[in-house]
Amino acid sequence: MVGERTGVWLIGARGSVATTVIAGAAAVTAGLHPPTGMVTATEPFADCPLPPVDSLVFGGHDPAPTPLPKRAEELVVSGALPPGLPAGVRAELAAADESVRPGTEPADPRGEERLVSALAEDMTAFGQTHRLDRTVVVNLASTEAAPLGAELPPSSRYAAAALRAGCAYVNFTPSTGLHHPKVRHAALDSGLPYAGRDGKTGQTLLRSVLAPMFARRALDVRAWSGTNLLGGGDGAALTDPGAAAAKNAGKERVLAEELGQLPEGEVHIDDVPALGDWKTAWDHVAFDGFLGSRMMLQTIWQGCDSALAAPLVLDLVRLVARAHQLGVAGPVTGLGFYFKDPDTGSSALSEQWRDLLALGERLREPA
Amino acid sequence: MVGERTGVWLIGARGSVATTVIAGAAAVTAGLHPPTGMVTATEPFADCPLPPVDSLVFGGHDPAPTPLPKRAEELVVSGALPPGLPAGVRAELAAADESVRPGTEPADPRGEERLVSALAEDMTAFGQTHRLDRTVVVNLASTEAAPLGAELPPSSRYAAAALRAGCAYVNFTPSTGLHHPKVRHAALDSGLPYAGRDGKTGQTLLRSVLAPMFARRALDVRAWSGTNLLGGGDGAALTDPGAAAAKNAGKERVLAEELGQLPEGEVHIDDVPALGDWKTAWDHVAFDGFLGSRMMLQTIWQGCDSALAAPLVLDLVRLVARAHQLGVAGPVTGLGFYFKDPDTGSSALSEQWRDLLALGERLREPA
Amino acid sequence: MVGERTGVWLIGARGSVATTVIAGAAAVTAGLHPPTGMVTATEPFADCPLPPVDSLVFGGHDPAPTPLPKRAEELVVSGALPPGLPAGVRAELAAADESVRPGTEPADPRGEERLVSALAEDMTAFGQTHRLDRTVVVNLASTEAAPLGAELPPSSRYAAAALRAGCAYVNFTPSTGLHHPKVRHAALDSGLPYAGRDGKTGQTLLRSVLAPMFARRALDVRAWSGTNLLGGGDGAALTDPGAAAAKNAGKERVLAEELGQLPEGEVHIDDVPALGDWKTAWDHVAFDGFLGSRMMLQTIWQGCDSALAAPLVLDLVRLVARAHQLGVAGPVTGLGFYFKDPDTGSSALSEQWRDLLALGERLREPA
Amino acid sequence: MVGERTGVWLIGARGSVATTVIAGAAAVTAGLHPPTGMVTATEPFADCPLPPVDSLVFGGHDPAPTPLPKRAEELVVSGALPPGLPAGVRAELAAADESVRPGTEPADPRGEERLVSALAEDMTAFGQTHRLDRTVVVNLASTEAAPLGAELPPSSRYAAAALRAGCAYVNFTPSTGLHHPKVRHAALDSGLPYAGRDGKTGQTLLRSVLAPMFARRALDVRAWSGTNLLGGGDGAALTDPGAAAAKNAGKERVLAEELGQLPEGEVHIDDVPALGDWKTAWDHVAFDGFLGSRMMLQTIWQGCDSALAAPLVLDLVRLVARAHQLGVAGPVTGLGFYFKDPDTGSSALSEQWRDLLALGERLREPA
């Protein structure tokens, strides 16, 4: 895909993850940082014709007013970006910020149809302005509660707009997106590739290797409990019980699938603003061994969610853009590695890794 | 292998692991406990013709004087066996204890050749007395330091005796066993199957799924530190720096292989008699994510080593006995799942699982 | 108090804590175990004339049908009592069980007045039958939700009965007990000593030393989060949101008092039946140091609640019995050491220790 | 002490702690940060006439060539100082750096007597140049091994120089300092105040509240194990077994004193350069409760050692300077709160707090 220009349209373009994606792509392009965490930059993908990071052009929707260069400074203070980085990539952040449009909010007074059209026009205009060969829309907005009525939730409006604008689509959140009944069929009929949902960055990543370990060793997992402490916008969004329920469903799926049944135990997500963009996730697994011996594993994961998510977003953009170029339609198989709630495939990370390598092979074939 | 009788000759036959193996086999046979932790009792091995647990006959070498029924009572006090179990399987423990011989100790005055012969005679006599179709010798003795001179260390004397007696051999410890230059060639020439070494029960098991996770996600592991607290005989044995070094080599192998290089960090093994047969293993992983963000994973594993080891020993006995029946010679491939320092194969648990399933397929073929 | 006989009437007499109290007192009397965890058995109380453990006589209320010897066997299985103990103290357990009466349940059809009388008669009869010099009533029943209406909740009915029967009273739970408006004044007028409430066994014990540490070091505690996993009856009872709220109030009190304000963070109490009578409590403290540096302390407490509570119950019985003998009336000051929500005094453990030593001095004076 | 000027002469003046002390004092003076972690800035010391932070003048000895403004930038990168701080206090850092002299190194060819004189002259010249009313010398250099021969180790040379220059002296490290036989008597005869040794910043701080908690609750601590992971210069220095032994002695002292005997367990200090100036300290306490129940407490402390130490250094300078003004001679009593191995007093933090408040009272009296 050398010579082509790929647009990246981020829903939630001024959030922590999006800011890290844009700043990080610029930093990697400038050689300021290695592409740590980008799986598509590792050896198994070396000769896969994915769009280079320096060919990505960023824009997106976000009603938040703080421009990207200022957001990046804030992320330095909260420890999510390294000191000095915003100054080094200020031009790229400012350029992307010029392509940010306000989009929509839950109580948008415009009718659904007019709204989707307006959002799609923003995406189309972005492609025209920057003479892009294609655009991948990525949902990075705060998690929303599962919708109750027939009305499209915001995530599905953006997803419908992406289809209408002929863009590939990635849902990195647990929100509804293309899973809404009013959109699902259009997605299948669109001829466009899409992927989702709910990026697997921390606690669920761990669970996707630990649960298979217990299962394969024939150990009897009795209870799996977890508490997540997080600040930042994500923590606040997840104080909404509906949003938290949507998030937790993905976390439990891997346990139920890998262990054969859902063990005892709950998952808590607490908003702790003092932690800023950093997260602590504690997991406690009670399992029985031989002759009923009671054992325990505890894990403590301390990470910066936006730094964990951003390279995965860049990976997904590159892979889905290439799929789009090859004319792949419907859910792109082989991306379960990235998601808590993938459209297809196993929930064990080792199987997902195998599937991803197989996808890499398919994307290597000539268009 | 229905109708056949398989001998299990345990080096260290009155230790915690061996006592748990013998008591556990009896408890499973009697239906007192399910075979939790025995991988060969799970569905993928359902129609593999392995020797049934109730066809195993136990004996072994151990200079320790405390008979097995008394050892089992001690293990109840230390929390390693459930209350009531020793009473339920007293007859089986007493029967096995009658087949325990003192064996040898490091300062045995007998010459090497005479000693190996005497040990082999014990094994042969065991087979004759019980009219066994075959015997698997398993080394469960305390870890010994790597040998310095040409003289065979105890573990290698027992291993040589196993060869001489025509027994299959499993080294569940990091001790030298068949890896000594004076024994290695005899092993290859013996036509017998063997497997090793160093059973993977806790901290290294975790590392064998976590290290691949970091590698596949392109996260940059900077340091991996660990501390193991353990009481029981194992803790005391590992206060010997040579023994600890032998043990740690296996723990580091998985990191070096999966991460491409050995990260910073040390592993400590502390003898804490107050913990009895229980172990706490703390691991601390410092890794860099996107844009140099510094993150951490900590794991705390609390388990009973003998309860973790015993079902793996029963698995290995069953698999290697079947290999012996089929005439497999040399190192049995596909058993890396069980070992810290396997003779062959990957050090990632998911690959090792695949290899184990493949071994299961091979063992399913008619003799 | 040598030569006197002290009754101990336990509300919830067949629960885990009560069973451990009765079995433990018998075991200590018989010399089977040292009085670990009993502060009144340590040197500072050596010459304080408290009732000897072997002078205590046990009975109580409990509608549960399982007799104490059987309950003790169950606690061995769940790991809360050591194997062999129930057999060693069977006679004492059976004797106490003969003095257990069913008491009342929330939906008792008898009127409040008749009910309190009936409960008081049980207590009086106990004293007469066993020719006791005095009786201390201790509430060990499952935590109840804070009462909404004017009706006495069960804990207050038992407390009122204790007053009526002339018994000293200890509330080891967060339930209302003597704090109900309809009982509070009777308590003050009764001339009887009482103490409460909510025994401080684990997470709050830790907080009562850690919070003062942060405060005295002028470190800025930003957030204090906690998760408790527990099985047994207590875990199930606390799935009731009202009961959990009552429990958590005590946990937060120490933070608010010692830190000057309540930090961010929540406390979760999860029912995890697989853990039996064992509890894991994880605390996560985010604090700022010099120049805004963000630091963290995490604690993991793994204990058996009944084993932690029982020696404190024996301490309280001994101290309050002596107070009763001396004619102390109203809340016994100096017992904050034992409670999450004490009637009086500091919430820092070091101050509470000082207060307890001072109480010991007062109780040393001649009657 | 308003109107007076107090010199602060730091041994190891360009190390992480010293740089944080100097930058932090400037930041607090400028109102850029509150004095979090400075106990002398809290209410109990409100009207104690200690030297104001803005009256402190900094200098010191250090052979390291990197000037303080550059060191501060490095500490931002390693996360020990907040971004932006070095720019805000550059002038103060540069001013202090002009008063840094190279001092001595272990293999200094000058004779002991000439060397001590030369170091003392540096201190005296500092006082004259800046017209200081008094100077407090603080040892912040890397931990040295316990000396074997009669020769003064570096820390004792600096301490002797402080005496000769008429300066008060604080030993914030476990190194020998004034505890050498050749210096001890001169210290007592000098008429100068001094304090030490080994600042209590993390793991030992925790132990000084947790060990008394276990003791007062009559719980039987069986084993106390710990592992410290740290990078920075301190981690490297402590790979020297002698230095580590000196450090660990202080850590064990609190356990032995508060628990009545030293429990099982070891302390490890690992150099993990990847952690930079941050430290993770894991402690594992195995304790027995009532009836021999086996319980556990684990703590994980994650902090920046220099940020923990710096406010304590400022506290000590202020307190010892006032003691000097009042003519206090010999070890200043009441400072055990700050040290792992204090010259006098209890090792329980609550007692030490009481002693510190009493010292505050004494320092409030007119000179």
Side-chain angles (χ1 to χ4, degrees):
Chain A
M1 299 182 76
V2 175
E4 300 208 346
R5 289 163 59 84
T6 302
V8 185
W9 188 263
L10 304 172
I11 315 301
R14 286 168 176 149
S16 300
V17 178
T19 307
T20 306
V21 166
I22 299 167
V28 167
T29 296
L32 301 176
H33 283 276
T36 310
M38 279 183 64
V39 179
T40 55
T42 60
E43 192 278 332
F45 296 87
D47 55 354
C48 191
L50 306 176
V53 173
D54 64 9
S55 74
L56 305 179
V57 180
F58 295 93
H61 279 123
D62 203 323
T66 311
L68 282 163
K70 179 121 178 33
R71 281 292 289 133
E73 295 288 357
E74 292 173 1
L75 290 178
V76 169
V77 172
S78 74
L81 284 182
L85 184 69
V89 299
R90 194 179 312 273
E92 291 85 345
L93 288 166
D97 201 70
E98 284 183 21
S99 295
V100 177
R101 300 290 169 267
T104 175
E105 292 197 81
D108 199 306
R110 292 174 283 188
E112 204 164 275
E113 171 56 29
R114 283 189 52 198
L115 182 55
V116 170
S117 286
L119 297 173
E121 279 163 28
D122 289 340
M123 297 170 186
T124 304
F126 173 63
Q128 291 170 339
T129 304
H130 294 282
R131 291 188 230 155
L132 304 172
D133 293 279
R134 63 188 47 80
T135 291
V136 181
V137 173
V138 187
N139 181 19
L140 299 175
S142 291
T143 298
E144 65 191 22
L148 298 174
E151 204 187 348
L152 287 185
S155 67
S156 299
R157 298 176 193 165
Y158 287 111
L163 298 180
R164 191 165 303 182
C167 300
Y169 175 80
V170 175
N171 188 357
F172 203 76
T173 79
S175 301
T176 307
L178 291 177
H179 282 67
H180 195 278
K182 288 167 68 177
V183 187
R184 193 177 288 143
H185 293 290
L188 286 167
D189 296 345
S190 67
L192 293 163
Y194 46 87
R197 62 182 172 174
D198 203 0
K200 184 164 64 188
T201 55
Q203 193 175 48
T204 308
L205 175 64
L206 271 178
R207 290 177 167 200
S208 72
V209 298
L210 294 174
M213 178 193 80
F214 286 112
R216 287 165 185 179
R217 276 292 177 103
L219 298 166
D220 183 14
V221 174
R222 302 282 306 277
W224 201 309
S225 309
T227 296
N228 295 267
L229 311 179
L230 64 166
D234 211 19
L238 292 167
T239 57
D240 178 299
K247 188 96 178 179
N248 281 345
K251 286 177 183 287
E252 294 189 341
R253 184 177 175 275
V254 61
L255 298 187
E257 287 194 10
E258 292 303 315
L259 301 176
Q261 58 177 2
L262 192 59
E264 295 175 8
E266 300 174 39
V267 173
H268 304 285
I269 304 182
D270 293 3
D271 180 33
V272 182
L275 295 182
D277 284 293
W278 283 73
K279 184 163 85 171
T280 297
W282 172 69
D283 256 21
H284 180 283
V285 188
F287 63 99
D288 280 4
F290 198 49
L291 307 177
S293 50
R294 295 185 167 187
M295 317 209 200
M296 264 173 269
L297 171 67
Q298 296 176 73
T299 62
I300 299 171
W301 173 270
Q302 295 171 297
C304 175
D305 246 16
S306 50
L308 287 160
L312 307 181
V313 170
L314 290 170
D315 275 348
L316 285 163
V317 163
R318 299 180 76 199
L319 293 163
V320 173
R322 171 66 177 161
H324 185 261
Q325 189 190 33
L326 291 176
V328 174
V332 181
T333 55
L335 291 174
F337 184 76
Y338 292 103
F339 295 113
K340 288 197 193 76
D341 186 17
D343 292 312
T344 60
S346 165
S347 55
L349 195 73
S350 56
E351 310 297 320
Q352 295 174 334
W353 173 244
R354 200 166 308 260
D355 294 346
L356 180 62
L357 294 180
L359 173 62
E361 288 304 316
R362 294 199 302 278
L363 298 181
R364 216 172 252 117
E365 291 160 18
Chain B
M1 301 181 74
V2 174
E4 301 206 346
R5 289 162 60 82
T6 303
V8 185
W9 188 264
L10 305 172
I11 314 301
R14 287 169 176 148
S16 299
V17 177
T19 307
T20 306
V21 166
I22 299 167
V28 167
T29 296
L32 301 176
H33 283 276
T36 310
M38 280 183 63
V39 179
T40 55
T42 60
E43 192 278 332
F45 296 86
D47 55 356
C48 192
L50 306 176
V53 173
D54 64 9
S55 73
L56 305 179
V57 179
F58 295 93
H61 279 124
D62 202 323
T66 311
L68 283 163
K70 180 118 180 30
R71 282 293 290 133
E73 295 289 354
E74 290 172 2
L75 290 177
V76 169
V77 173
S78 74
L81 284 181
L85 184 68
V89 298
R90 194 178 311 273
E92 291 85 347
L93 289 165
D97 201 70
E98 285 184 18
S99 295
V100 176
R101 299 291 168 267
T104 177
E105 291 195 82
D108 199 305
R110 292 174 281 188
E112 205 164 275
E113 170 56 30
R114 280 189 55 196
L115 183 54
V116 170
S117 285
L119 299 173
E121 279 162 29
D122 289 339
M123 297 170 187
T124 303
F126 173 63
Q128 291 169 339
T129 303
H130 294 282
R131 289 187 231 155
L132 305 173
D133 292 279
R134 64 187 47 79
T135 292
V136 181
V137 173
V138 187
N139 182 18
L140 299 175
S142 291
T143 298
E144 65 192 21
L148 299 174
E151 205 186 348
L152 286 184
S155 66
S156 299
R157 298 176 194 166
Y158 287 111
L163 298 180
R164 190 165 305 183
C167 300
Y169 176 79
V170 175
N171 189 356
F172 203 75
T173 78
S175 301
T176 307
L178 292 176
H179 282 66
H180 195 278
K182 287 166 67 176
V183 186
R184 194 177 288 142
H185 293 291
L188 286 166
D189 297 344
S190 68
L192 294 164
Y194 47 87
R197 60 183 175 172
D198 203 1
K200 184 164 65 189
T201 54
Q203 193 176 46
T204 309
L205 176 65
L206 271 177
R207 291 177 166 199
S208 73
V209 298
L210 294 174
M213 178 193 81
F214 286 111
R216 288 164 184 178
R217 276 296 177 98
L219 297 166
D220 182 14
V221 173
R222 302 283 306 277
W224 201 310
S225 310
T227 296
N228 295 267
L229 311 179
L230 65 163
D234 212 19
L238 293 166
T239 56
D240 178 298
K247 188 95 176 179
N248 282 345
K251 287 177 182 286
E252 293 189 341
R253 184 176 175 274
V254 60
L255 298 186
E257 287 195 9
E258 291 304 313
L259 301 176
Q261 59 176 5
L262 192 59
E264 294 174 8
E266 301 174 38
V267 173
H268 304 286
I269 304 182
D270 293 3
D271 180 33
V272 183
L275 295 180
D277 284 294
W278 284 74
K279 183 164 86 172
T280 298
W282 172 70
D283 257 21
H284 179 283
V285 188
F287 62 100
D288 279 5
F290 198 49
L291 306 178
S293 50
R294 295 185 168 188
M295 318 210 200
M296 262 173 271
L297 170 66
Q298 295 175 75
T299 62
I300 298 171
W301 173 271
Q302 295 170 299
C304 175
D305 246 16
S306 50
L308 287 160
L312 306 181
V313 170
L314 290 170
D315 275 349
L316 285 163
V317 163
R318 300 181 74 199
L319 294 163
V320 172
R322 171 64 177 161
H324 185 260
Q325 188 189 33
L326 292 177
V328 173
V332 182
T333 55
L335 290 173
F337 184 76
Y338 292 103
F339 294 113
K340 288 197 194 75
D341 185 18
D343 292 312
T344 59
S346 165
S347 56
L349 195 73
S350 57
E351 309 298 321
Q352 294 174 333
W353 173 242
R354 199 167 309 261
D355 293 345
L356 180 62
L357 294 180
L359 173 63
E361 287 304 318
R362 293 199 303 278
L363 297 181
R364 216 172 253 114
E365 290 161 17
Chain C
M1 297 179 77
V2 174
E4 300 206 347
R5 288 162 61 82
T6 302
V8 185
W9 188 262
L10 304 173
I11 315 300
R14 287 171 176 146
S16 300
V17 178
T19 306
T20 306
V21 166
I22 299 168
V28 168
T29 295
L32 301 175
H33 284 276
T36 309
M38 281 184 61
V39 180
T40 56
T42 60
E43 191 278 331
F45 295 87
D47 55 354
C48 191
L50 306 176
V53 172
D54 64 9
S55 74
L56 304 179
V57 179
F58 294 93
H61 280 122
D62 202 323
T66 310
L68 283 163
K70 181 122 178 30
R71 282 292 289 133
E73 295 289 355
E74 292 172 0
L75 291 178
V76 170
V77 173
S78 74
L81 284 182
L85 185 69
V89 299
R90 194 179 312 271
E92 292 85 345
L93 288 166
D97 202 70
E98 284 183 18
S99 294
V100 176
R101 302 289 168 268
T104 175
E105 293 195 82
D108 199 304
R110 292 174 282 188
E112 203 164 277
E113 170 56 29
R114 280 189 54 197
L115 183 54
V116 170
S117 286
L119 298 173
E121 279 163 28
D122 288 340
M123 297 170 187
T124 302
F126 173 63
Q128 290 170 340
T129 303
H130 294 282
R131 290 190 230 154
L132 304 173
D133 292 278
R134 64 188 47 80
T135 292
V136 181
V137 174
V138 186
N139 182 19
L140 299 175
S142 291
T143 298
E144 64 192 22
L148 298 173
E151 204 186 349
L152 287 185
S155 66
S156 298
R157 296 175 195 167
Y158 286 111
L163 298 180
R164 192 165 304 181
C167 299
Y169 176 79
V170 175
N171 189 357
F172 203 76
T173 79
S175 302
T176 307
L178 291 176
H179 282 66
H180 195 278
K182 286 166 68 175
V183 187
R184 194 178 287 142
H185 294 290
L188 286 167
D189 297 345
S190 68
L192 292 164
Y194 47 87
R197 62 184 171 171
D198 204 1
K200 184 164 64 189
T201 54
Q203 193 177 46
T204 309
L205 175 64
L206 271 178
R207 291 178 166 199
S208 73
V209 298
L210 294 174
M213 177 193 82
F214 285 111
R216 288 165 186 179
R217 275 294 176 99
L219 297 166
D220 183 15
V221 174
R222 300 283 306 277
W224 200 309
S225 309
T227 296
N228 296 267
L229 311 179
L230 66 164
D234 212 20
L238 292 166
T239 57
D240 177 300
K247 188 96 177 178
N248 282 346
K251 285 177 184 287
E252 294 189 340
R253 184 176 175 274
V254 60
L255 298 187
E257 286 194 10
E258 292 304 314
L259 301 175
Q261 58 177 4
L262 193 59
E264 293 174 8
E266 300 174 38
V267 174
H268 304 285
I269 304 183
D270 292 4
D271 180 32
V272 182
L275 295 181
D277 285 293
W278 283 73
K279 184 164 84 172
T280 298
W282 172 70
D283 256 23
H284 180 282
V285 188
F287 62 99
D288 279 5
F290 199 50
L291 307 177
S293 51
R294 293 184 169 190
M295 318 208 201
M296 263 174 270
L297 170 66
Q298 295 175 73
T299 62
I300 298 171
W301 173 271
Q302 294 170 299
C304 175
D305 246 16
S306 50
L308 287 161
L312 307 182
V313 169
L314 290 170
D315 275 348
L316 285 163
V317 163
R318 299 180 76 199
L319 293 164
V320 172
R322 171 65 178 161
H324 185 261
Q325 187 190 33
L326 291 178
V328 173
V332 181
T333 55
L335 291 174
F337 184 76
Y338 291 102
F339 295 113
K340 287 198 194 76
D341 186 17
D343 293 312
T344 58
S346 165
S347 54
L349 194 74
S350 57
E351 310 295 321
Q352 294 173 334
W353 173 243
R354 202 167 306 263
D355 293 347
L356 180 62
L357 293 180
L359 173 63
E361 288 302 319
R362 294 199 303 277
L363 298 181
R364 216 171 252 116
E365 291 160 19
Chain D
M1 299 180 75
V2 176
E4 301 207 346
R5 289 162 60 83
T6 302
V8 185
W9 187 263
L10 305 173
I11 315 302
R14 287 169 176 147
S16 300
V17 177
T19 307
T20 306
V21 166
I22 299 168
V28 167
T29 296
L32 301 176
H33 283 277
T36 309
M38 280 184 62
V39 179
T40 55
T42 61
E43 194 277 331
F45 296 87
D47 54 355
C48 191
L50 306 176
V53 173
D54 63 9
S55 73
L56 304 179
V57 179
F58 295 93
H61 280 122
D62 203 324
T66 312
L68 283 163
K70 180 117 178 34
R71 281 292 289 133
E73 295 289 354
E74 290 173 2
L75 291 177
V76 170
V77 172
S78 74
L81 284 182
L85 185 69
V89 299
R90 194 179 311 271
E92 291 86 345
L93 288 166
D97 201 70
E98 286 184 17
S99 296
V100 176
R101 300 292 169 266
T104 175
E105 292 196 83
D108 200 305
R110 292 175 282 188
E112 204 165 275
E113 170 56 31
R114 282 188 55 196
L115 183 56
V116 170
S117 285
L119 298 173
E121 278 163 29
D122 288 341
M123 298 171 187
T124 302
F126 174 62
Q128 290 169 340
T129 303
H130 294 282
R131 288 188 231 156
L132 305 173
D133 292 278
R134 63 187 48 78
T135 291
V136 182
V137 173
V138 187
N139 182 19
L140 299 176
S142 291
T143 298
E144 65 191 22
L148 297 175
E151 204 186 349
L152 287 185
S155 66
S156 299
R157 298 175 195 168
Y158 286 111
L163 298 179
R164 193 166 302 183
C167 300
Y169 176 79
V170 175
N171 189 356
F172 202 74
T173 79
S175 301
T176 308
L178 292 177
H179 281 65
H180 196 278
K182 285 166 68 177
V183 187
R184 194 177 288 140
H185 293 290
L188 286 167
D189 296 346
S190 69
L192 292 163
Y194 48 86
R197 63 183 172 173
D198 204 2
K200 184 164 64 188
T201 55
Q203 194 177 45
T204 308
L205 175 65
L206 271 177
R207 291 178 166 197
S208 72
V209 299
L210 294 174
M213 177 193 82
F214 285 111
R216 287 165 186 179
R217 276 294 177 101
L219 297 166
D220 182 15
V221 174
R222 300 283 306 277
W224 201 310
S225 309
T227 296
N228 295 268
L229 311 179
L230 64 165
D234 212 17
L238 293 166
T239 56
D240 177 299
K247 188 94 175 181
N248 282 346
K251 285 177 183 286
E252 294 189 340
R253 184 176 175 274
V254 59
L255 299 187
E257 287 194 9
E258 291 304 313
L259 301 175
Q261 58 177 4
L262 192 59
E264 293 173 11
E266 300 174 37
V267 173
H268 304 285
I269 304 182
D270 292 3
D271 180 32
V272 183
L275 295 181
D277 284 294
W278 283 74
K279 183 165 87 172
T280 298
W282 172 70
D283 256 21
H284 179 282
V285 188
F287 63 98
D288 279 5
F290 199 49
L291 307 177
S293 50
R294 294 182 169 192
M295 317 208 201
M296 264 173 269
L297 170 67
Q298 294 175 75
T299 62
I300 299 171
W301 173 271
Q302 295 170 297
C304 175
D305 246 16
S306 51
L308 286 161
L312 306 182
V313 170
L314 290 170
D315 275 348
L316 284 163
V317 163
R318 300 181 75 199
L319 293 163
V320 173
R322 171 64 178 161
H324 185 262
Q325 187 189 34
L326 290 178
V328 174
V332 181
T333 56
L335 291 174
F337 184 76
Y338 291 103
F339 295 112
K340 289 199 194 74
D341 185 18
D343 292 312
T344 59
S346 165
S347 55
L349 195 74
S350 56
E351 310 297 320
Q352 295 173 334
W353 173 242
R354 198 167 309 262
D355 293 345
L356 181 62
L357 294 179
L359 173 63
E361 287 303 318
R362 292 200 304 278
L363 297 182
R364 216 171 253 115
E365 290 160 19

